[in-house]
Amino acid sequence: MRKLLIGAALAAVAFTTPAYANLNVFACEPEWGALSNEIGGDKVSIYTATTGAQDPHQIQARPSLIAKARTADISVCDGAELEIGWMPMILQQSGASKLAPGQPGDFQATQFVHLLEQPSRLDRAEGDIHAAGNPHIQTDPRMMLPVAKALAARFAQLDGANAAYYQAREADFEKRWTAALAHWTAKAAPLKGVNIAVQHHAWIYMENWLGLHEVVPLEPKPGVPPSSGYLAEVLQKLQATPAKFTIRAAYEDDRPSAFISEHAGIPAVTLPFTVGGTEGAKDLFGLYDDTINRLLQGLKK
Ligand SMILES: [Zn+2]
């Protein structure tokens, strides 16, 4: 009996940790964990530090995260200061020198795309402003292609024995992703030119991709919750320039968009924002399937 139990325990471990994992990946957000999985397959073991139910701007540097960073070979994060409130603490507490800034084990997805909204003048009084530019690149699936290429190259650099494996998986991903992109873009055509109101100013890349037009954010400044006075201003703005619906990420407080939805008489659309944010966003492909479906639903209501 005892032997059986140990056998079962070992089987469980083998299931969650690939038997021949060469790289331990510490993924800051679920979308980068999912992309690491697409590229790394069974040669990497992935720990994803946050879930779609959490605000990636505001994560606690818990001991469990620190312990995982200590054994990681590479961190795969968004970068552009999205994790500025918690990753420096994790790096410091863990002493994880492999993940230190500038090391091959420090992978920041935003370094491989062109970032929008890089402020010419930094003023923290502008709220929780993203000083390095808008970091929320995963709202546009086109961003995944350059990041996937860079990630495969980085995995190959750290684990040369499997370089061909990572390159082959990247090529296969690129093929499947390009086909999916064409499908999403065609399906989303009715969204072109549609006015929307957004909770956090986090969707600029998606807006560019689909041709959505952001009328107004529901936060007075990025990261600052709206007062009732500010929401009244938003309603006024929406009277002058009506929006079809509001958008918020699944992890965000639903009250501001519910209030606007009720008073402006428009639907409130909840989007996954990342893998696992909603039930439909089960993997990287599901993230955009579900996002497009939910946006199109917003048009119908
Ligand atoms: Zn943000």
Side-chain angles (χ1 to χ4, degrees), residues 158-182:
L158 290 169
D159 175 22
N162 289 306
Y165 174 86
Y166 299 127
Q167 300 303 348
R169 284 195 63 101
E170 193 279 324
D172 178 61
F173 171 76
E174 196 174 318
K175 218 165 102 187
R176 289 181 293 124
W177 200 251
T178 304
L181 264 176

Side-chain angles (χ1 to χ4, degrees), residues 57 82 128 130 134-136 200-202 222 251:
H57 307 81
L82 178 62
D128 178 26
H130 293 305
N134 194 311
H136 303 296
H200 177 57
H201 183 62
Y251 73 79

Side-chain angles (χ1 to χ4, degrees), residues 139 198 200-208 247-249 271 273:
T139 64
V198 303
H200 177 57
H201 183 62
W203 306 95
I204 183 75
Y205 299 96
M206 183 183 80
E207 291 161 13
N208 274 4
I247 284 176
R248 76 171 173 98
L271 297 180
F273 196 59

Side-chain angles (χ1 to χ4, degrees), residues 29-31 34 48 50-56 138 203 248-252 269-288 290-291 294:
E29 292 86 19
E31 66 271 27
T48 302
T50 59
T51 73
Q54 289 178 291
D55 179 348
Q138 89 289 357
W203 306 95
R248 76 171 173 98
Y251 73 79
E252 287 173 319
V269 173
T270 304
L271 297 180
F273 196 59
T274 185
V275 175
T278 56
E279 191 129 308
K282 283 188 171 46
D283 61 12
L284 210 52
F285 287 82
L287 169 58
Y288 301 99
D290 198 47
T291 297
R294 285 166 174 264

